[in-house]
Amino acid sequence: MDIFKEFATDLAKEEDGVEVDIGSGAVLKLARTGTKDYNKLVNKLFTANKRVLDLKNDAANTLSDNLMAEVLAKTVLKGWSGIEEDGKELPYSVENAQRLLRIKDFRALVIEKAGDMTNYKLAVEEEISGN
């Protein structure tokens, strides 16, 4: 197994984001989860709210979901096209992203796609270009 071909990723794409088609004409621009900015904000927000989160009750669960929506909106979901709300095109903004990321299944989709290494692999790009 060639470790480079299997696991090497483009760090710039991980930080800047790549376009990922999620179907129905919608495309998300996603940075990868686990980047420096992502980890820094997770640490900051979850540490600042540790006392409430440690309660492990409904309020803690709601806060955790809201914090993840904020983290993803500020560090992972970098843009979109084809996203609508009530039949109208919804412009991308961090605020709109954070609001939509409070929807658990949309948040789960973003986390899944942003964590998919194949979206950021170097080897895929090299194979396409013939190198």
Side-chain angles (χ1 to χ4, degrees):
M1 169 192 296
D2 186 322
I3 295 297
F4 181 80
K5 283 185 179 180
E6 290 296 319
F7 296 105
T9 58
D10 184 327
L11 298 179
K13 285 184 177 183
E14 288 186 3
E15 294 282 339
D16 298 336
V18 297
E19 291 189 346
V20 177
D21 186 336
I22 61 167
S24 300
V27 175
L28 304 178
K29 184 172 182 184
L30 299 173
R32 193 168 183 198
T33 54
T35 64
K36 183 177 78 173
D37 290 342
Y38 174 91
N39 290 336
K40 184 177 177 182
L41 190 54
V42 164
N43 191 24
K44 176 183 174 184
L45 293 177
F46 281 76
T47 299
N49 291 282
K50 184 178 182 337
R51 295 180 85 186
V52 175
L53 294 169
D54 283 347
L55 296 175
K56 299 185 189 320
N57 58 18
D58 288 341
N61 291 335
T62 298
L63 177 60
S64 177
D65 290 344
N66 289 336
L67 293 176
M68 278 310 301
E70 181 176 350
V71 168
L72 293 167
K74 290 181 176 178
T75 65
V76 173
L77 184 51
K78 304 277 188 169
W80 63 52
S81 63
I83 298 293
E84 297 178 356
E85 185 174 50
D86 297 324
K88 296 178 187 168
E89 183 83 15
L90 182 66
Y92 170 80
S93 70
V94 171
E95 294 78 18
N96 283 340
Q98 189 168 340
R99 186 168 49 80
L100 295 185
L101 286 161
R102 288 190 183 111
I103 301 168
K104 69 178 179 176
D105 291 322
F106 180 65
R107 186 174 59 249
L109 174 72
V110 168
I111 290 169
E112 174 192 340
K113 299 294 185 183
D116 184 351
M117 172 185 74
T118 60
N119 289 324
Y120 310 96
K121 280 181 72 170
L122 272 177
V124 171
E125 210 174 81
E126 290 177 355
E127 288 171 14
I128 291 170
S129 67
N131 292 329

